[in-house]
mmCIF file of all heavy atoms in Angstrom:
data_model
loop_
_atom_site.group_PDB
_atom_site.id
_atom_site.type_symbol
_atom_site.label_atom_id
_atom_site.label_comp_id
_atom_site.label_asym_id
_atom_site.label_seq_id
_atom_site.Cartn_x
_atom_site.Cartn_y
_atom_site.Cartn_z
ATOM 1 N N LEU A 384 77.268 -55.705 -28.600
ATOM 2 C CA LEU A 384 77.390 -56.822 -29.529
ATOM 3 C C LEU A 384 76.348 -57.886 -29.242
ATOM 4 O O LEU A 384 75.814 -58.530 -30.165
ATOM 5 C CB LEU A 384 78.796 -57.425 -29.429
ATOM 6 C CG LEU A 384 79.208 -58.385 -30.535
ATOM 7 C CD1 LEU A 384 79.121 -57.719 -31.901
ATOM 8 C CD2 LEU A 384 80.625 -58.897 -30.295
ATOM 9 N N PHE A 385 76.002 -58.081 -27.965
ATOM 10 C CA PHE A 385 74.934 -59.023 -27.616
ATOM 11 C C PHE A 385 73.602 -58.574 -28.213
ATOM 12 O O PHE A 385 72.846 -59.380 -28.754
ATOM 13 C CB PHE A 385 74.795 -59.126 -26.098
ATOM 14 C CG PHE A 385 75.835 -59.998 -25.428
ATOM 15 C CD1 PHE A 385 76.005 -59.949 -24.063
ATOM 16 C CD2 PHE A 385 76.627 -60.861 -26.173
ATOM 17 C CE1 PHE A 385 76.940 -60.759 -23.436
ATOM 18 C CE2 PHE A 385 77.566 -61.672 -25.555
ATOM 19 C CZ PHE A 385 77.731 -61.618 -24.185
ATOM 20 N N GLU A 386 73.298 -57.291 -28.095
ATOM 21 C CA GLU A 386 72.038 -56.779 -28.647
ATOM 22 C C GLU A 386 72.032 -56.877 -30.160
ATOM 23 O O GLU A 386 71.004 -57.198 -30.771
ATOM 24 C CB GLU A 386 71.841 -55.325 -28.211
ATOM 25 C CG GLU A 386 71.588 -55.165 -26.714
ATOM 26 C CD GLU A 386 71.645 -53.723 -26.258
ATOM 27 O OE1 GLU A 386 72.424 -52.932 -26.831
ATOM 28 O OE2 GLU A 386 70.907 -53.384 -25.308
ATOM 29 N N LYS A 387 73.172 -56.615 -30.767
ATOM 30 C CA LYS A 387 73.263 -56.679 -32.228
ATOM 31 C C LYS A 387 73.013 -58.093 -32.746
ATOM 32 O O LYS A 387 72.308 -58.290 -33.736
ATOM 33 C CB LYS A 387 74.631 -56.192 -32.696
ATOM 34 C CG LYS A 387 74.862 -54.704 -32.528
ATOM 35 C CD LYS A 387 76.268 -54.318 -32.977
ATOM 36 C CE LYS A 387 76.520 -52.827 -32.814
ATOM 37 N NZ LYS A 387 77.899 -52.453 -33.233
ATOM 38 N N ARG A 388 73.601 -59.081 -32.077
ATOM 39 C CA ARG A 388 73.464 -60.445 -32.597
ATOM 40 C C ARG A 388 72.053 -60.999 -32.366
ATOM 41 O O ARG A 388 71.652 -61.959 -33.014
ATOM 42 C CB ARG A 388 74.510 -61.361 -31.975
ATOM 43 C CG ARG A 388 74.325 -61.675 -30.497
ATOM 44 C CD ARG A 388 75.450 -62.558 -29.972
ATOM 45 N NE ARG A 388 75.181 -63.034 -28.619
ATOM 46 C CZ ARG A 388 75.979 -63.859 -27.963
ATOM 47 N NH1 ARG A 388 77.108 -64.268 -28.516
ATOM 48 N NH2 ARG A 388 75.657 -64.263 -26.751
ATOM 49 N N ARG A 389 71.298 -60.399 -31.419
ATOM 50 C CA ARG A 389 69.910 -60.822 -31.196
ATOM 51 C C ARG A 389 68.913 -60.073 -32.075
ATOM 52 O O ARG A 389 67.732 -60.417 -32.101
ATOM 53 C CB ARG A 389 69.517 -60.597 -29.726
ATOM 54 C CG ARG A 389 70.198 -61.487 -28.724
ATOM 55 C CD ARG A 389 69.452 -61.434 -27.387
ATOM 56 N NE ARG A 389 69.314 -60.082 -26.878
ATOM 57 C CZ ARG A 389 70.162 -59.495 -26.047
ATOM 58 N NH1 ARG A 389 71.246 -60.142 -25.667
ATOM 59 N NH2 ARG A 389 69.948 -58.265 -25.621
ATOM 60 N N GLN A 390 69.355 -59.031 -32.747
ATOM 61 C CA GLN A 390 68.458 -58.168 -33.501
ATOM 62 C C GLN A 390 67.666 -58.945 -34.550
ATOM 63 O O GLN A 390 68.217 -59.727 -35.335
ATOM 64 C CB GLN A 390 69.251 -57.060 -34.190
ATOM 65 C CG GLN A 390 68.418 -56.112 -35.041
ATOM 66 C CD GLN A 390 67.386 -55.337 -34.234
ATOM 67 O OE1 GLN A 390 67.706 -54.804 -33.182
ATOM 68 N NE2 GLN A 390 66.159 -55.275 -34.722
ATOM 69 N N LEU A 391 66.350 -58.706 -34.573
ATOM 70 C CA LEU A 391 65.473 -59.357 -35.539
ATOM 71 C C LEU A 391 65.095 -58.394 -36.652
ATOM 72 O O LEU A 391 65.008 -57.176 -36.437
ATOM 73 C CB LEU A 391 64.196 -59.850 -34.852
ATOM 74 C CG LEU A 391 64.367 -60.898 -33.750
ATOM 75 C CD1 LEU A 391 63.013 -61.198 -33.110
ATOM 76 C CD2 LEU A 391 64.994 -62.168 -34.300
ATOM 77 N N VAL A 392 64.869 -58.955 -37.827
ATOM 78 C CA VAL A 392 64.356 -58.166 -38.956
ATOM 79 C C VAL A 392 63.188 -58.922 -39.577
ATOM 80 O O VAL A 392 63.104 -60.141 -39.475
ATOM 81 C CB VAL A 392 65.440 -57.907 -40.029
ATOM 82 C CG1 VAL A 392 66.548 -57.036 -39.482
ATOM 83 C CG2 VAL A 392 66.010 -59.216 -40.573
ATOM 84 N N VAL A 393 62.286 -58.171 -40.199
ATOM 85 C CA VAL A 393 61.185 -58.762 -40.960
ATOM 86 C C VAL A 393 61.443 -58.472 -42.438
ATOM 87 O O VAL A 393 61.626 -57.302 -42.817
ATOM 88 C CB VAL A 393 59.824 -58.170 -40.534
ATOM 89 C CG1 VAL A 393 58.700 -58.786 -41.369
ATOM 90 C CG2 VAL A 393 59.581 -58.411 -39.043
ATOM 91 N N VAL A 394 61.502 -59.521 -43.240
ATOM 92 C CA VAL A 394 61.758 -59.351 -44.678
ATOM 93 C C VAL A 394 60.544 -59.809 -45.468
ATOM 94 O O VAL A 394 59.766 -60.649 -45.004
ATOM 95 C CB VAL A 394 63.011 -60.143 -45.115
ATOM 96 C CG1 VAL A 394 64.248 -59.669 -44.359
ATOM 97 C CG2 VAL A 394 62.829 -61.638 -44.925
ATOM 98 N N ASP A 395 60.381 -59.228 -46.686
ATOM 99 C CA ASP A 395 59.219 -59.585 -47.510
ATOM 100 C C ASP A 395 59.567 -60.726 -48.455
ATOM 101 O O ASP A 395 60.654 -61.319 -48.371
ATOM 102 C CB ASP A 395 58.700 -58.361 -48.260
ATOM 103 C CG ASP A 395 59.676 -57.839 -49.309
ATOM 104 O OD1 ASP A 395 60.711 -58.504 -49.569
ATOM 105 O OD2 ASP A 395 59.425 -56.759 -49.860
ATOM 106 N N ALA A 396 58.643 -61.041 -49.349
ATOM 107 C CA ALA A 396 58.812 -62.182 -50.248
ATOM 108 C C ALA A 396 60.037 -62.049 -51.138
ATOM 109 O O ALA A 396 60.622 -63.049 -51.557
ATOM 110 C CB ALA A 396 57.554 -62.342 -51.106
ATOM 111 N N ALA A 397 60.434 -60.807 -51.416
ATOM 112 C CA ALA A 397 61.597 -60.585 -52.268
ATOM 113 C C ALA A 397 62.896 -60.523 -51.473
ATOM 114 O O ALA A 397 63.978 -60.350 -52.041
ATOM 115 C CB ALA A 397 61.413 -59.297 -53.073
ATOM 116 N N GLY A 398 62.798 -60.645 -50.167
ATOM 117 C CA GLY A 398 63.995 -60.619 -49.326
ATOM 118 C C GLY A 398 64.384 -59.231 -48.864
ATOM 119 O O GLY A 398 65.435 -59.057 -48.239
ATOM 120 N N PHE A 399 63.536 -58.230 -49.136
ATOM 121 C CA PHE A 399 63.833 -56.865 -48.693
ATOM 122 C C PHE A 399 63.397 -56.682 -47.233
ATOM 123 O O PHE A 399 62.325 -57.142 -46.831
ATOM 124 C CB PHE A 399 63.121 -55.832 -49.569
ATOM 125 C CG PHE A 399 63.659 -55.769 -50.975
ATOM 126 C CD1 PHE A 399 62.902 -56.255 -52.037
ATOM 127 C CD2 PHE A 399 64.914 -55.247 -51.234
ATOM 128 C CE1 PHE A 399 63.399 -56.221 -53.335
ATOM 129 C CE2 PHE A 399 65.410 -55.197 -52.526
ATOM 130 C CZ PHE A 399 64.655 -55.690 -53.579
ATOM 131 N N ILE A 400 64.225 -55.996 -46.465
ATOM 132 C CA ILE A 400 63.895 -55.734 -45.068
ATOM 133 C C ILE A 400 62.832 -54.655 -44.988
ATOM 134 O O ILE A 400 63.023 -53.545 -45.490
ATOM 135 C CB ILE A 400 65.151 -55.310 -44.278
ATOM 136 C CG1 ILE A 400 66.164 -56.463 -44.245
ATOM 137 C CG2 ILE A 400 64.783 -54.886 -42.859
ATOM 138 C CD1 ILE A 400 67.500 -56.100 -43.642
#
Side-chain angles (χ1 to χ4, degrees):
L384 193 58
F385 281 166
E386 292 170 327
K387 290 178 180 179
R388 70 182 189 177
R389 291 196 305 268
Q390 178 62 46
L391 298 176
V392 295
V393 179
V394 300
D395 67 7
F399 292 109
I400 296 173

